[in-house]
Amino acid sequence: MQFKEIIGQESIKQQLLQTVAENRVSHAQLFLSSEGSGALPLAIAYAQYINCLDKSDEDSCGICSSCRKYERYIHPDLHFSYPFFAAKDVKIAVDVLDEWRSMLLDDPYFDMNIWRSKLSAENKQANINIAECHDIIKKLSYKAFEGETKVLIMWLPEYLDKEGNSLLKIIEEPPLNTLFILVANNQEQILSTLLSRTQIVKIPKLPHTTIEDYLMSKHGLSENQATEYSFLADGNLIEAKELVAHTHNENADKFAEWLRMGYGNRVLDLTAFVEQAAGWGRENQKNFLKYGISFLRECSLLLSGADDLVKLPAAALQTAQKLSAHVLDLNMADAIITELEKAHYHIERNANPKILFLDVSLQLVKIIKFKTFPKGTQYIYN
């Protein structure tokens, strides 16, 4: 991948080019960005530029033997690490390398949900395990095969648990001509011991105008459509592409119906919903709760009169407007968000999903139907 293929981020490209020109490439770097900003493509383009045999001042050549292998992600000195779902035949990241390369070739702008859909995730939770850490150490202990620099790009180091501490020595004292690039979305979820050993490169959100231009040139949208989708995506190119493709978000329908069940005190329907939700698997349950929290925050903006700040697709916006006009108020939205955040916290810690979703469902009935807030909250209902 060449720098010219990456959407926007011109200042970051120049910053990276300058580090190579001035021979001050840090051996361990953390590319920190929000989703859809292009951090992973930037990391790959940077690695390709460093190993290019005929680089210019602005980009890799794209035609030398090194670049041709980088374009297909098969260069022997380019290594990837990423979250995966361990199984009997999947012990380390290399076991799903074909799926990883296929996804990169298809579109290098993707998130964890898209990656999850390419694998047999079932009810498993993604992580970067100790076996993967040992494999990284083993791979990087070899000499470079072809290029001057061995490169390891780790996508989403947030999925490293304490096992990541096994990498500290090789990151702090790497073999000769070795480059680590960590590509992350959430600094707070990364091991502090890893953070302290990396140089952070902060990658900003894509400007609305950049996404607008991309949607008009690549997808043929009108200026009005591109402007609307860019506003809804809020700097996330992945979200913008999903809006163009009219990707249906099942969480939107499920969550709206869940609220309706609570408002109607439909106990039998709520019980059936709990049974269904309990079988989704932990990651899907967490995504559902995260969607609900985001949706209710948008409802809170509507209730506060900040309609211009709301970023919801048309169908979800219509639902939010009806709820805000006839059912919810700010106190209710705040109370439900608190319950969902607690549920998300407990799901991450292996709570029984059936008991948890039943409890939250009953809290919904109390809050929405009977305007009774959970004990310990400080709401004063007007």
Side-chain angles (χ1 to χ4, degrees):
M1 173 166 287
Q2 294 178 277
F3 283 121
K4 67 181 182 181
E5 299 174 57
I6 295 167
I7 289 72
Q9 306 297 3
E10 297 305 323
S11 63
I12 299 296
K13 292 176 189 176
Q14 290 303 314
Q15 178 183 327
L16 296 175
L17 289 167
Q18 193 172 357
T19 63
V20 179
E22 297 176 359
N23 195 27
R24 52 180 182 85
V25 177
S26 176
H27 71 272
Q29 302 183 41
L30 171 64
F31 284 25
L32 186 63
S33 74
S34 55
E35 283 187 351
S37 300
L40 180 59
L42 275 168
I44 297 170
Y46 187 39
Q48 178 170 323
Y49 182 76
I50 289 171
N51 276 312
C52 177
L53 303 177
D54 190 23
K55 62 176 72 71
S56 68
D57 293 339
E58 300 298 326
D59 212 338
S60 53
C61 70
I63 57 174
C64 69
S65 60
S66 175
C67 285
R68 290 200 302 271
K69 290 174 183 176
Y70 260 86
E71 293 289 344
R72 291 178 289 159
Y73 311 108
I74 59 172
H75 196 288
D77 297 316
L78 173 65
H79 306 283
F80 290 102
S81 183
Y82 35 80
F84 59 93
F85 304 91
K88 185 177 180 180
D89 56 343
V90 180
K91 308 294 185 184
I92 56 177
V94 170
D95 294 333
V96 287
L97 182 59
D98 288 343
E99 291 87 343
W100 175 260
R101 285 174 175 160
S102 174
M103 189 169 61
L104 281 173
L105 289 167
D106 183 48
D107 188 349
Y109 289 82
F110 55 84
D111 57 19
M112 190 61 200
N113 287 333
I114 296 173
W115 174 227
R116 180 184 177 85
S117 71
K118 304 291 183 182
L119 303 175
S120 300
E122 299 174 356
N123 292 337
K124 304 184 188 74
Q125 190 164 8
N127 70 344
I128 301 174
N129 59 20
I130 189 65
E132 172 65 8
C133 293
H134 290 162
D135 189 59
I136 289 170
I137 296 169
K138 177 182 174 182
K139 286 186 291 195
L140 296 182
S141 65
Y142 300 139
K143 290 182 180 179
F145 286 89
E146 293 183 15
E148 290 186 5
T149 305
K150 291 174 293 182
V151 181
L152 174 85
I153 298 175
M154 179 179 285
W155 182 60
L156 299 185
E158 297 96 317
Y159 284 82
L160 268 174
D161 204 351
K162 62 185 179 206
E163 293 86 355
N165 287 319
S166 62
L167 298 173
L168 297 182
K169 182 174 176 57
I170 197 169
I171 290 177
E172 193 166 8
E173 300 176 11
L176 188 64
N177 297 329
T178 300
L179 172 62
F180 289 87
I181 305 178
L182 311 182
V183 179
N185 297 140
N186 194 325
Q187 182 175 343
E188 294 178 357
Q189 294 179 7
I190 303 172
L191 290 170
S192 58
T193 47
L194 279 180
L195 274 176
S196 64
R197 289 165 172 80
T198 59
Q199 180 185 74
I200 298 178
V201 179
K202 292 188 176 180
I203 299 168
K205 284 183 178 181
L206 290 170
H208 287 188
T209 52
T210 299
I211 294 182
E212 286 175 24
D213 293 341
Y214 171 82
L215 294 177
M216 287 189 287
S217 62
K218 297 295 184 181
H219 294 277
L221 298 190
S222 67
E223 185 175 352
N224 288 339
Q225 281 181 312
T227 301
E228 180 184 350
Y229 287 172
S230 172
F231 179 73
L232 291 171
D234 190 27
N236 186 338
L237 189 65
I238 300 166
E239 181 68 22
K241 289 181 177 183
E242 288 181 351
L243 288 168
V244 171
H246 301 291
T247 301
H248 184 64
N249 186 346
E250 292 184 359
N251 284 335
D253 292 341
K254 289 176 182 174
F255 187 75
E257 184 59 24
W258 194 27
L259 292 180
R260 293 188 191 102
M261 292 176 196
Y263 181 67
N265 194 16
R266 291 153 46 192
V267 176
L268 291 178
D269 290 339
L270 284 170
T271 304
F273 171 82
V274 168
E275 291 287 342
Q276 181 186 23
W280 288 343
R282 190 181 306 157
E283 289 299 318
N284 290 327
Q285 290 161 356
K286 285 161 59 179
N287 287 337
F288 174 75
L289 293 169
K290 281 161 61 178
Y291 173 83
I293 292 166
S294 298
F295 177 80
L296 287 170
R297 284 175 179 161
E298 298 298 304
C299 289
S300 297
L301 289 174
L302 288 172
L303 291 163
S304 302
D307 298 33
D308 293 341
L309 300 178
V310 176
K311 300 181 180 71
L312 284 173
L317 176 60
Q318 188 176 12
T319 301
Q321 288 170 335
K322 289 179 180 177
L323 285 168
S324 302
H326 305 293
V327 178
L328 294 175
D329 63 23
L330 277 173
N331 289 333
M332 288 182 185
D334 191 24
I336 297 171
I337 288 172
T338 299
E339 292 301 312
L340 297 181
E341 287 176 338
K342 288 194 295 184
H344 186 275
Y345 174 87
H346 291 301
I347 284 290
E348 284 190 321
R349 284 149 185 82
N350 297 317
N352 183 304
K354 189 176 293 188
I355 295 173
L356 185 141
F357 274 98
L358 178 60
D359 178 65
V360 179
S361 297
L362 295 176
Q363 295 295 346
L364 281 181
V365 174
K366 289 172 65 177
I367 294 168
I368 302 178
K369 178 67 176 178
F370 298 109
K371 301 180 175 59
T372 302
F373 295 104
K375 184 179 180 181
T377 57
Q378 302 301 312
Y379 304 101
I380 301 174
Y381 191 76
N382 296 320

